[in-house]
Amino acid sequence: PISRTTFLQHHAMTAAGLAGFPIALALPITDDDDDDTSSTTLSTMALQFLPRAGCLAVPVTLRGRAGTWARYTAVVDTGSPFLTAPPTRAILDVTTPSRRYPSTQEQYGSTIGQDIRWRSTTRSSSPIQLGTTSFPTLEPFVLALSSGGLMEATGGIFLGLMATDDERPAVLEQLGLHSLRIDYRQRILQLSTQPLLPMRTNHHLSPPSTMDRNNHVMNLFDLSPFGPNLHHYAVECHELIFFSRSASSSRTKRQSIPLSKLSRTVVVVIDTGLSGCILSDSWRHEALPSGPLGQLSGMQLGLGNAERGGVVTQLQSNDTYWYVDCFRLPWFTKEEDHPHIIAAGATFLQNSVISIDNQARTIAIQVPT
């Protein structure tokens, strides 16, 4: 089966020319005990900025029996739910093949049929460390072992932060965490068992409040009615502007899209594992500017909730990480009955602060004004 939950970010990383970029690093195994054990409700981890991809990454340490350790670096990815690891000797030494989860065939970008081997840590007590924070668990931690060919095709290894998956254990589920915050400005990741966004009642029906607008709080859009195992961090789009530039002219054309006249709802998937931007091929049938897709030079997105008064946050693409592609996403039960998808990666998210509360199903994206 094709993996719906990991398709987007891997394609865009590859399409942006990042294949082979060494963001998965096999680091020396050491045996030091100067890490913090996460016993509080909030854990904060320093991140590394990857300037070529525009993404953020975190050091990952897996612990095995008898004091064995394996370390590498993973891209912080809101577009997938799993932790993937490189197939190094050190990783194999601290993990064992999962009895519960057999190998699967996945599709990553244009690479089809790559084997993903599911493995469990040999240690069940605090088997994983992110940055300097150790996370206590009652069971071995389950992760996905990438093949060398897959790493070459996708350009990286990922710490997936989607909250859930219907078939295999997600990172946040295994760690008992419900909220997250990714701060591109300070380069930190926060994970919490408690909400990181203001709590509110009747959020589906109440009018927009000053608190919500000040905190940029929006409802997450539920994609699950349109296909199996769809748990992406998605937000409804209420303003859309395309910027295009032809090869024969240096002038930029600005085209505001009347979304109310489109045949489908427009939904933006927030994906920190992407460098650029991906459009579902449903866009080819309406609204895309005429001419080659490569003439599309940027976008501006107004995100919010229709029932809450429209736009709450605006995102504009950054030329440094701009890349766009348009193809069929193998997610949906019916191709004629799903929203138009815009997957927004680093080109939109630079300098932002993204907060997500999975229990309240809310998201806030704060950008500099």
Side-chain angles (χ1 to χ4, degrees):
I2 293 174
S3 170
R4 291 171 171 82
T5 53
T6 54
F7 187 90
L8 270 181
Q9 80 283 0
H10 293 295
H11 184 96
M13 293 286 283
T14 303
L18 298 174
F21 182 60
I23 49 183
L25 306 177
L27 301 181
I29 299 175
T30 60
D31 191 6
D32 53 309
D33 295 317
D34 57 350
D35 57 283
D36 302 321
T37 299
S38 176
S39 58
T40 61
T41 60
L42 177 67
S43 299
T44 300
M45 288 134 282
L47 300 177
Q48 303 171 13
F49 179 65
L50 307 176
R52 184 177 175 187
C55 299
L56 298 170
V58 62
V60 178
T61 303
L62 300 176
R63 293 172 171 173
R65 296 194 186 102
T68 54
W69 296 41
R71 284 179 174 166
Y72 62 98
T73 302
V75 172
V76 174
D77 179 23
T78 58
S80 66
F82 313 117
L83 174 66
T84 58
T88 63
R89 181 73 261 172
I91 298 294
L92 295 176
D93 286 344
V94 298
T95 61
T96 185
S98 174
R99 296 180 180 179
R100 184 175 179 183
Y101 304 101
S103 297
T104 56
Q105 294 286 317
E106 306 286 344
Q107 176 169 344
Y108 291 81
S110 58
T111 305
I112 301 175
Q114 290 285 346
D115 282 326
I116 294 295
R117 290 176 287 163
W118 296 90
R119 297 181 68 88
S120 301
T121 56
T122 57
R123 173 172 166 170
S124 58
S125 175
S126 299
I128 183 172
Q129 178 179 314
L130 302 177
T132 60
T133 303
S134 295
F135 290 88
T137 62
L138 299 177
E139 298 180 354
F141 191 87
V142 178
L143 62 145
L145 192 68
S146 296
S147 68
L150 187 148
M151 289 176 57
E152 182 179 355
T154 64
I157 294 295
F158 300 91
L159 173 69
L161 293 177
M162 281 171 53
T164 188
D165 184 83
D166 295 343
E167 300 173 359
R168 292 162 295 235
V171 171
L172 295 186
E173 286 179 327
Q174 294 186 80
L175 301 182
L177 300 167
H178 306 294
S179 299
L180 63 103
R181 176 171 291 139
I182 300 169
D183 190 331
Y184 278 82
R185 305 173 207 171
Q186 299 188 42
R187 299 180 185 175
I188 60 173
L189 168 66
Q190 292 182 313
L191 301 175
S192 179
T193 60
Q194 302 297 320
L196 294 175
L197 289 173
M199 297 295 291
R200 50 195 172 89
T201 59
N202 299 323
H203 60 276
H204 289 294
L205 299 176
S206 58
S209 66
T210 301
M211 179 185 70
D212 287 349
R213 290 194 178 278
N214 289 344
N215 290 283
H216 305 272
V217 178
M218 302 170 284
N219 299 331
L220 287 169
F221 185 91
D222 185 10
L223 286 171
S224 63
F226 302 99
N229 205 13
L230 293 180
H231 305 290
H232 300 78
Y233 295 130
V235 187
E236 197 166 341
C237 185
H238 291 281
E239 289 181 1
L240 174 59
I241 298 172
F242 287 139
F243 299 98
S244 58
R245 188 182 301 117
S246 66
S248 60
S249 173
S250 60
R251 295 182 59 185
T252 298
K253 180 180 179 181
R254 183 181 187 275
Q255 180 181 358
S256 180
I257 306 301
L259 300 187
S260 61
K261 297 182 179 180
L262 299 184
S263 62
R264 308 177 188 225
T265 301
V266 178
V267 173
V268 176
V269 172
I270 304 301
D271 193 339
T272 61
L274 284 169
S275 294
C277 175
I278 294 294
L279 306 176
S280 58
D281 68 349
S282 58
W283 283 102
R284 294 192 183 278
H285 306 295
E286 62 177 348
L288 274 183
S290 59
L293 188 64
Q295 293 183 5
L296 197 60
S297 59
M299 290 186 199
Q300 182 174 308
L301 310 174
L303 309 183
N305 307 110
E307 69 275 16
R308 297 191 54 74
V311 173
V312 173
T313 294
Q314 288 191 332
L315 301 177
Q316 181 149 351
S317 58
N318 180 305
D319 290 345
T320 302
Y321 300 108
W322 174 253
Y323 178 86
V324 64
D325 202 353
C326 181
F327 56 89
R328 177 183 174 272
L329 302 176
W331 297 358
F332 304 109
T333 303
K334 297 179 180 179
E335 286 301 314
E336 69 278 6
D337 188 35
H338 66 75
H340 287 313
I341 299 294
I342 300 173
T347 186
F348 292 100
L349 303 176
Q350 292 300 301
N351 299 316
S352 70
V353 179
I354 305 166
S355 304
I356 299 173
D357 183 352
N358 282 296
Q359 290 185 317
R361 296 284 301 161
T362 54
I363 183 172
I365 305 176
Q366 296 172 296
V367 294
T369 56

